[in-house]
Amino acid sequence: MTTSASVPTGSESAITAGDTVTDRLVEANARYAEAFADPGMDARPVLHVAVVACMDARLDLHAALGLELGDCHTIRNAGGVVTDDVIRSLTISQRKLGTRSVVLIHHTGCGLESLTEDFRNELEAEVGQRPAWAVESFRDVDQDVRQSMQRVRTSPFVPHTDDVRGFVFDVKTGLLREVDPAS
């Protein structure tokens, strides 16, 4: 597994005065753009699949699933939970950009397993305003995958629900384990 491949190591990695991580990313983009060639693709994924996954930095979805640039739509959030915004993205992905399959990927050791909805109370106490969104924390990753599959399958906006499958990615082994929606 590679991490931070475009960030120099050793003495070069020291952030000089005024440099930020964002500055490093912009510099890495400039190097990337020097060799960039338009791949000639449009926004429609080649494999007609949308992948919904957790934003966890340990998940390299393209590598883990054998995907190439242009193969899929990738929708990520905390927990890989199917929220209204995920439904919005899946609706656009299917209705306007041709996807037909949905793959949901949660993972072991997710940070949402250690949070509760009390997090919203803490935020309200700290900033004086209650977030409109739910934390969507969970204790049972398999059950949360089932709930996410059900949310996709029952949405009136997502027309193609015959190929909606859910998995748990093991962050220690890199393997996917499929979750039975009926269990």
Side-chain angles (χ1 to χ4, degrees), residues 6-148:
S6 62
V7 178
T9 58
S11 62
E12 297 171 356
S13 68
I15 297 177
T16 59
D19 282 350
T20 66
V21 172
T22 303
D23 292 331
R24 284 186 181 182
L25 298 176
V26 171
E27 289 169 12
N29 174 257
R31 289 189 300 276
Y32 170 80
E34 287 174 5
F36 183 79
D38 180 0
M41 300 175 188
D42 70 15
R44 296 175 179 271
V46 173
L47 298 179
H48 307 288
V49 63
V51 177
V52 178
C54 185
M55 65 186 191
D56 192 294
R58 297 172 290 181
L59 277 64
D60 183 348
L61 294 174
H62 276 73
L65 301 174
L67 297 168
E68 299 293 330
L69 181 67
D71 281 348
C72 72
H73 283 158
T74 306
I75 304 161
R76 295 182 81 156
N77 67 16
V81 176
V82 175
T83 60
D84 285 346
D85 196 56
V86 169
I87 292 295
R88 171 188 163 271
S89 294
L90 288 173
T91 300
I92 293 167
S93 178
Q94 287 196 355
R95 290 183 179 268
K96 296 299 180 183
L97 297 167
T99 61
R100 296 292 178 263
S101 299
V102 178
V103 173
L104 305 168
I105 301 177
H106 287 33
H107 65 91
T108 58
C110 185
L112 282 186
E113 292 175 300
S114 63
L115 289 177
T116 67
E117 291 298 320
D118 287 339
F119 181 62
R120 293 172 71 209
N121 298 332
E122 295 166 14
L123 286 171
E124 183 176 21
E126 180 182 331
V127 303
Q129 181 177 346
R130 186 169 187 79
W133 41 262
V135 175
E136 296 278 357
S137 61
F138 54 87
R139 296 285 177 258
D140 181 336
V141 67
D142 286 42
Q143 185 55 37
D144 202 63
V145 171
R146 283 185 202 95
Q147 176 178 288
S148 290

Side-chain angles (χ1 to χ4, degrees), residues 163-179:
D163 189 17
V164 176
R165 294 171 63 186
F167 300 85
V168 175
F169 177 87
D170 188 315
V171 297
K172 301 285 188 206
T173 67
L175 289 172
L176 288 176
R177 176 178 51 78
E178 188 158 8
V179 174

